[in-house]
Amino acid sequence: KATKDAGEIAGLKVLRVLPEPTAAALAYGLDKQHNHKVLVFDLGGGTFDVSILDVESDAEGSLFKVLSISGDTHLGGDDFDEVVINFIAEEFRKQEGIDVRKDAMALQRLKEAAEKAKKELSTQQETTINLPFITADQNGPKHLSMSLTRAKFETLIQPLVERCRKPVLDAISDAKVKASDIDEVVLVGGSTR
């Protein structure tokens, strides 16, 4: 209702609000194909959702049936960021003896750097986290500078990636299909990269 109201406030004539997986399938042009099953894998910032759709198309249009929905409301890109934050903070603590997570301003800078590093590792094999003047002690300012490889990042996030497995298997089971019945997989959500 709130989404519909927001559209109307924006001056749109809202005919119908589509479920996210259906919108994703439409965005990828899957309504142009004939009768197939689609798995929508949506790993966003705060939640992870998996949907299985049955798309039936004919000359008159397409019909999207949601066969199942599964997910983890406590798994998302924020969790991947948190893993990177903790890794960087622990490495800095080992080097300097200071836990930057206890300083609100330093932690905010670290969060921004961790998210940036995560995104860069989507297209690069290695990235550098460089936070000059992150903190100070009696000896003066401290600078944080370190490299993070994609291989190390993938090792760090492996438990989170593994957590994606159960909702996918549950969605397939709940839809009463086999993995081999899935014709298309649509990957959406920034963290999917």
Side-chain angles (χ1 to χ4, degrees), residues 54-120:
D54 188 22
V55 183
E56 296 176 7
S57 300
D58 59 24
E60 295 177 23
S62 297
L63 176 65
F64 289 80
K65 292 181 190 170
V66 178
L67 300 179
S68 69
I69 297 173
S70 187
D72 186 334
T73 57
H74 301 289
L75 177 62
D78 297 344
D79 298 296
F80 290 76
D81 292 347
E82 196 67 31
V83 167
V84 177
I85 290 165
N86 288 327
F87 172 74
I88 296 168
E90 274 305 305
E91 291 298 307
F92 187 77
R93 188 189 61 72
K94 288 175 193 171
Q95 253 182 337
E96 300 292 341
I98 301 169
D99 189 347
V100 292
R101 292 169 289 196
K102 294 181 179 176
D103 176 337
M105 288 193 54
L107 180 59
Q108 183 56 39
R109 288 181 64 200
L110 183 55
K111 283 181 179 181
E112 291 166 4
E115 183 179 8
K116 182 176 182 259
K118 174 187 76 172
K119 289 177 180 177
E120 288 174 351

